[in-house]
Amino acid sequence: MTVTIVGTQLGDEGKGALVDRYGGAADVVVRYQGGDNAGHTVVEDGEEYALSLVPSGAIRGKTGVLGNGCVVNPETLFDELDALHDRGLDPDVRVARRAHVILPYHRRLDGIEEEAKAEDGEAIGTTGRGIGPTYEDKAGRRGVRVGDLTDPDVLREKLEYVVPQKRAVIEEVYGLEAGAECDVDALHEQYAEYGRRLADEGMLVDCGPFLAERRAAGDNLVFEGAQGTLIDVDHGNYPFVTSSNPTAGGATTGTGLGPTVVGDGEVVGVVKAYLSRVGSGAMPTELDGGDHEEALASDIRERGGEFGTVTGRPRRIGWLDVPVLRHAARVNGLTGISLNHLDVLGGLDELAVGHAYELDGDVIETVPATAEQWARCEPVRREFEPWPDVDWDAVAAEGYEALPEAAKTYVEYVEAETGVEVYAVGVGPDRAQTIERVDPWERVD
Ligand code: GDP
Ligand code: IMO
Ligand code: MG
């Protein structure tokens, strides 16, 4: 049985918390795309863990796998593992030999390209982790894969081919000086050492066969999406996107298991009860129209702790964007939704959603294909009765019926508009602060 967890919006919906929640019944938790641009938070009895590469299930002692669709910075990985060891955990993490390696020149180029775009006001606001340049090299067939790190001759050959190209781009295209990130000998020494450590610690796997074997043995698998549907390179707000496929299709190409495996299981979309965005790009429901809206956004930002897990950047805040959810339900083939952060909206004086968009005189109910069109969309608002701030721990303990009536109306509205059942409702960051209506592990079609 598999459960795939995807972000339905612009990232930071609370995927980590849900993966951890469903991780109780899982044996293996697999990241299938992205890299250390992700920041997933797990809170267990008040203890908070912020993870960027280690799969969220590892906090519960499950096997975590970084699938072939991921891009891996070994330095971040080992730092994160060391930090978890210092906190008394011993995570079992495996890395696909087919995953691509983020090298220092990828991070340098990420920064250089962002600066160049910023001059024309076109910066994407990337996390600066080298994600885009690494996926470019993967598609350009000049990438270094994790498996290459364990063969010093292959690693040298690849670096000798690619590094002069990076140097030329830095020096001749951008007129900057290349530095240590283009020193083949130093890179070779450092990355061959990472390869040795990965091999010595038994962390390397052939992802597809490894997972197929675990599945055949009856194990439950969670596929942990990073980022979100609207920053998917194909289905998102291109070019203000990340360079991978966070949507559910990515779970098959990024793990080596077929679409029937993913489609045979459950696909749960994580929805934040409002909207947040870190980085540039349109956001039709953004609360940025004057002092009143900005004060509201700031209130939600503070209450929801809406500051980047990876970069610390304040997140932009908006009302729930329902066309985005309809788009996400279709693209991902959602079987269920987890609707989080209802507590953050408790006690507001007003509450609204963007029910549809107005674009060039037409009312549309889903997301248009181009960034320019999306930027011109005006939300068609629908007002909701706000619910009070209540004792959310007590609500979590009692279950769905204990939710304030107005909050239930909101949950049921999301179900009606997406055509997808709300399996879980989040009323706080802690593992215990989720109300479960349907357990996907028990759902048999
Ligand atoms: P992810 O990237 O999707 O895993 O989400 P992040 O961890 O970046 O951001 C989500 C934040 O919301 C984290 O601080 C979580 O601990 C927190 N969180 C998750 N679910 C809820 C919820 O229902 N209510 C509140 N208040 N916080 C939540
Ligand atoms: P999680 O998994 C929110 C955004 C960046 C930028 C764009 C491209 O925690 O939900 P990149 O560094 O990937 O090339 O940046 O995507 N972004 C995220 N926003 N949550 C994330 O991950 C994100 N990962 C990337 O801010 O706009
Ligand atoms: Mg995050």
Side-chain angles (χ1 to χ4, degrees), residues 209-350:
F210 177 77
L211 296 177
E213 214 171 278
R214 298 289 296 250
R215 191 166 163 265
D219 280 359
N220 282 334
L221 313 183
V222 169
F223 300 121
E224 174 177 9
Q227 289 81 51
T229 301
L230 261 288
I231 51 175
D232 179 289
V233 69
D234 284 281
H235 303 290
N237 180 214
Y238 191 89
F240 302 101
V241 295
T242 192
S243 300
S244 67
N245 288 121
T247 46
T252 161
T253 51
T255 60
L257 295 175
T260 44
V261 173
V262 175
D264 224 21
E266 292 281 314
V267 181
V268 182
V270 186
V271 177
K272 189 178 268 183
Y274 47 95
L275 196 60
S276 68
R277 179 164 203 169
V278 54
S280 336
M283 194 172 165
T285 58
E286 185 165 13
L287 287 164
D288 63 347
D291 290 351
H292 175 69
E293 286 200 350
E294 274 162 32
L296 201 52
S298 159
D299 186 25
I300 295 174
R301 185 179 301 115
E302 291 300 325
R303 294 164 53 124
E306 296 294 355
F307 298 89
T309 315
V310 171
T311 56
R313 294 181 284 178
R315 296 174 182 155
R316 299 157 61 195
I317 303 294
W319 291 130
L320 187 70
D321 185 317
V322 182
V324 163
L325 301 187
R326 295 188 191 101
H327 179 72
R330 175 181 44 77
V331 170
N332 295 293
L334 297 182
T335 57
I337 278 176
S338 173
L339 180 57
N340 301 314
H341 294 80
L342 283 184
D343 55 309
V344 176
L345 298 180
L348 291 185
D349 294 332
E350 57 185 294

Side-chain angles (χ1 to χ4, degrees), residues 10-12 15 37-40 124-127 226-227 241-242 278 313:
L10 291 150
D12 302 327
K15 298 176 292 293
N37 49 347
H40 294 181
I124 290 165
T126 71
T127 59
Q227 289 81 51
V241 295
T242 192
V278 54
R313 294 181 284 178

Side-chain angles (χ1 to χ4, degrees), residues 368-381:
T370 72
E372 290 71 23
Q373 287 174 322
W374 204 41
R376 280 193 284 117
C377 284
E378 285 297 329
V380 176
R381 279 165 63 109

